[in-house]
Amino acid sequence: MSRTRVQHFSISLDGFGTGEGLSRQAPFGHAGERLHAWMFATRFGKTMFGQQGGTSGVDDAILSTFAVGIGAEIMGSNKFGYPGWHENKDWTGWWGANPPFHTPVFVMTQHKRAPLELEGGTVFHFTDAPPADVLAMAREAAGGRDVRIGGGVRILRAFLKERLIDHMHLVQVPILLGRGVRLWDGLEGLEQVFDIETTASSSGVTHLMFARKGG
Amino acid sequence: MSRTRVQHFSISLDGFGTGEGLSRQAPFGHAGERLHAWMFATRFGKTMFGQQGGTSGVDDAILSTFAVGIGAEIMGSNKFGYPGWHENKDWTGWWGANPPFHTPVFVMTQHKRAPLELEGGTVFHFTDAPPADVLAMAREAAGGRDVRIGGGVRILRAFLKERLIDHMHLVQVPILLGRGVRLWDGLEGLEQVFDIETTASSSGVTHLMFARKGG
């Protein structure tokens, strides 16, 4: 049974999934790299960037499941590019010639383009369809495997509000961003839909696993 | 050295320390007892209400430190009473004839009263002084022991903003309240002041210990 999953999505202790002031130079605004430093400290995270070493504890183990069972991703316009990327016809995302997805990726945007095929099996599709319709397309493309909801924050909220998520892994980082885009707005009572398991890591971050009740 | 401490203060996953719609019948508004159910499940929590049984794991162990080393408490008007309590001259707080404090308690309010002495050593003092001045009074009254900042949320924020807290124990409860009074507003960068240690409990709550750096 194909599931819809959120993986390794980092939020601050005060619930922000990105900072304020996003730009091409600052993809996460004033948050900088602080939300994702835990990833880059792991063996798997370093390997993604061609580096050696890294930790091999629970953070690394969970992060290593990034591609396991995933057949497609859905992401928002703000994950694919900086504010204004649609005016740059040469923009192909943040990830270079061989992005880490290796599956079809559906970018939810008002600025439609022809599909963009890069190395390693990543094909970006651009769609202005609503969440449930994009999910149907992604599920079809995933060929029986799971669909990753890749963010950003507003995309997660949209899919959570429509109760389209089966499993969500959040990583709470012990920093107070104070401003940016908050994940939790408008999600009162979400615990009625999910069983929530919490695991603190010695790195300082806390893993939160949301599994749909009865799922 | 007398410290200023926050103990066992519960917040929801989205950071609310109380719900919306506070009243005499609903001291925490729409949050009901959900923020504090973890306490009432412990042996120490049950003992406070004259009951038997309860869990004896990490939640109970930490909660059992409630009075250890504490010589005075500071609380806000909304912790002492319901909205409008000051118009009720017979109001003596939520806690009955023998409140669990057993120390001087300084209530920060615009509605001053004569000191109120109850059984068991609890004496409520009512003051409209600013945080640093109230802390000086409470520290004097504590006779070398620590001062507890008892809440509610706005009082914690006020003392945090003025960097008056040495140690803070928060309990993050896996519920999404969606509305109420949020602890984290205006506290960007608080992690620069504190070392933060996180421990997940099998009860589902997460203990966060903030210890002032170099303290």
Side-chain angles (χ1 to χ4, degrees):
Chain A
M1 177 69 187
S2 167
R3 294 180 301 163
T4 305
R5 293 159 57 192
V6 174
Q7 287 180 298
H8 325 319
F9 193 85
S10 297
I11 59 174
S12 63
L13 194 47
D14 47 351
F16 293 98
T18 189
E20 203 174 66
L22 309 191
S23 70
R24 189 164 181 171
Q25 291 69 38
F28 291 90
H30 84 290
E33 297 188 344
R34 290 179 289 163
L35 284 171
H36 305 99
W38 73 270
M39 287 187 183
F40 303 129
T42 66
R43 185 176 180 86
F44 189 87
K46 288 193 183 295
T47 301
M48 287 176 89
F49 293 88
Q51 296 170 22
Q52 305 287 315
T55 63
S56 53
V58 67
D59 295 353
D60 184 58
I62 299 178
L63 185 62
S64 298
T65 68
F66 177 71
V68 176
I70 295 287
E73 165 154 339
I74 295 170
M75 67 171 63
S77 180
N78 283 338
K79 178 169 173 179
F80 181 70
Y82 58 96
W85 65 264
H86 58 276
E87 293 168 358
N88 177 353
K89 66 180 171 45
D90 296 327
W91 181 257
T92 61
W94 303 99
W95 303 278
N98 187 352
F101 306 107
H102 311 298
T103 67
V105 176
F106 294 81
V107 180
M108 296 176 71
T109 173
Q110 298 304 313
H111 304 285
K112 293 173 70 172
R113 290 187 172 187
L116 171 66
E117 183 164 357
L118 298 180
E119 291 171 27
T122 299
V123 184
F124 290 103
H125 301 271
F126 300 85
T127 172
D128 59 0
D133 293 353
V134 178
L135 181 56
M137 288 189 278
R139 188 156 334 269
E140 175 74 20
R145 288 184 292 163
D146 293 344
V147 176
R148 181 194 301 116
I149 307 299
V153 181
R154 291 182 185 87
I155 295 292
L156 257 64
R157 276 208 305 246
F159 280 79
L160 285 168
K161 280 186 189 170
E162 298 196 22
R163 302 292 188 247
L164 295 172
I165 306 284
D166 297 309
H167 193 275
M168 175 167 70
H169 169 223
L170 300 179
V171 183
Q172 195 179 51
V173 180
I175 59 174
L176 280 291
L177 286 179
R179 53 210 162 92
V181 188
R182 187 152 33 209
L183 176 59
W184 298 126
D185 290 350
L187 294 175
E188 179 179 342
L190 194 66
E191 74 279 3
Q192 293 163 25
V193 182
F194 292 101
D195 292 319
I196 305 173
E197 184 182 331
T198 307
T199 303
S201 164
S202 62
S203 69
V205 305
T206 304
H207 298 279
L208 294 152
M209 297 283 187
F210 290 64
R212 185 191 281 272
K213 288 181 198 274
Chain B
M1 178 69 188
S2 167
R3 294 180 300 163
T4 305
R5 293 159 56 192
V6 174
Q7 287 180 297
H8 326 319
F9 193 85
S10 298
I11 60 173
S12 62
L13 193 47
D14 47 351
F16 293 98
T18 189
E20 203 174 67
L22 309 192
S23 69
R24 189 164 181 171
Q25 291 71 40
F28 290 90
H30 84 291
E33 296 188 344
R34 290 179 290 163
L35 284 171
H36 306 99
W38 72 270
M39 288 186 182
F40 302 129
T42 65
R43 186 178 178 87
F44 189 87
K46 287 192 184 296
T47 303
M48 287 177 88
F49 292 88
Q51 297 170 21
Q52 304 287 315
T55 63
S56 52
V58 67
D59 295 353
D60 184 59
I62 299 178
L63 185 62
S64 299
T65 67
F66 177 70
V68 176
I70 296 287
E73 166 154 339
I74 296 170
M75 67 171 63
S77 178
N78 283 339
K79 178 169 174 180
F80 181 70
Y82 59 94
W85 65 264
H86 58 277
E87 292 168 358
N88 178 353
K89 67 180 171 42
D90 296 327
W91 182 256
T92 61
W94 303 99
W95 304 278
N98 187 352
F101 306 106
H102 310 299
T103 67
V105 176
F106 295 80
V107 181
M108 295 177 71
T109 173
Q110 299 304 313
H111 304 286
K112 293 173 69 171
R113 291 186 172 188
L116 172 67
E117 182 164 358
L118 298 179
E119 291 171 26
T122 299
V123 184
F124 290 104
H125 300 271
F126 300 85
T127 171
D128 60 0
D133 293 353
V134 178
L135 181 56
M137 288 188 276
R139 187 153 340 264
E140 174 74 21
R145 287 184 291 163
D146 293 344
V147 175
R148 181 195 302 116
I149 307 298
V153 180
R154 292 183 186 85
I155 295 293
L156 257 65
R157 276 208 305 247
F159 280 80
L160 285 168
K161 280 185 189 170
E162 297 197 23
R163 302 294 189 245
L164 295 172
I165 306 285
D166 298 309
H167 192 276
M168 175 165 72
H169 169 224
L170 300 179
V171 183
Q172 195 180 53
V173 180
I175 59 174
L176 280 292
L177 287 179
R179 53 209 161 93
V181 188
R182 188 152 31 209
L183 176 59
W184 298 126
D185 290 349
L187 294 174
E188 179 179 343
L190 194 66
E191 73 279 3
Q192 294 163 23
V193 182
F194 293 101
D195 292 319
I196 305 173
E197 183 182 331
T198 306
T199 303
S201 164
S202 61
S203 69
V205 305
T206 303
H207 298 278
L208 294 151
M209 298 281 187
F210 290 65
R212 185 191 282 271
K213 287 181 198 276

